[in-house]
Amino acid sequence: GAVVSQHPSWVICKSGTSVKIECRSLDFQATTMFWYRQFPKQSLMLMATSNEGSKATYEQGVEKDKFLINHASLTLSTLTVTSAHPEDSSFYICSAGDSYSTDTQYFGPGTRLTVL
Amino acid sequence: KNEVEQSPQNLTAQEGEFITINCSYSVGISALHWLQQHPGGGIVSLFMLSSGKKKHGRLIATINIQEKHSSLHITASHPRDSAVYICAVRWIHDKLIFGTGTRLQVFP
């Protein structure tokens, strides 16, 4: 079946640094990828929709200058948390749908970010 | 009020029991997903439904579009079924709206 990978799976960084998270669709092309964050024991919250070759669409309340999204190819989207602070500590998950079939969303394994 | 509500929030069962998790939604949707999230965080898509019923192994998912309700059933539950089960509805532009999840623990 289709696979979505994320890298890194976990990262610990100091406050003020920037962290890049990659989301790759391994065996299919994805014109659209989604980025979510999840706080402990809470549901996933959509942060933004990443569109290949164009600007991402951010959900209300999500700072686009804080969470930079780049979708440079049909198999890769990146989320950069700029000037990270402890409140950015969370579990970040991406998902992607096959460009030829929007029936199923495939989820990445997630990236746990801890900002000290 | 959440647009997608799940019940129960927490569920414990003995191995072998039949389990039902419910999902009700209030928005118009094109599809509904049932997802499984294990303690490590990884999410697996179990089903995508737009009508009727689907079965995969011991898992059965049903949806009633008119009533805006879906159920996930697990037959002959096993401790390895312990996870958080999340209902997510597909909305405009393929966006997913997530329920708050049902935490299932199955004891041997």
Side-chain angles (χ1 to χ4, degrees), chain A residues 34 36 38 41-46 49 57 59 91 93 95 102-105 107-109 112, chain B residues 31 33 35 37 39-45 48 86 90 93-96 98-101 103:
Chain A
F34 300 92
Y36 308 90
Q38 185 180 35
K41 298 193 177 180
Q42 293 189 25
S43 191
L44 286 80
M45 279 179 32
L46 178 64
T49 304
T57 306
E59 295 301 298
F91 192 59
I93 303 170
S95 74
T102 56
D103 282 355
T104 303
Q105 283 288 315
F107 288 83
R112 188 163 301 283
Chain B
H33 296 255
L35 311 170
Q37 185 173 30
I43 292 176
V44 174
S45 180
M48 193 283 297
I86 303 169
R90 181 183 292 180
H93 304 306
D94 286 337
K95 291 181 181 179
L96 293 179
F98 295 87
T100 50
R103 189 172 299 272

Side-chain angles (χ1 to χ4, degrees), chain B residues 11 17-21 33-38 44-49 52-63 70-86 104 106:
Chain B
L11 184 56
E17 285 185 7
F18 180 84
I19 287 162
T20 296
I21 300 171
H33 296 255
W34 279 103
L35 311 170
Q36 180 191 55
Q37 185 173 30
H38 279 282
V44 174
S45 180
L46 299 174
F47 294 103
M48 193 283 297
L49 293 163
K53 175 179 173 179
K54 285 190 176 180
K55 184 177 189 294
H56 182 69
R58 294 180 294 106
L59 301 179
I60 303 167
T62 63
I63 188 168
S70 176
S71 293
L72 176 68
H73 305 285
I74 304 175
T75 61
S77 59
H78 191 274
R80 64 174 175 266
D81 297 327
S82 299
V84 175
Y85 292 84
I86 303 169
L104 171 66
V106 182

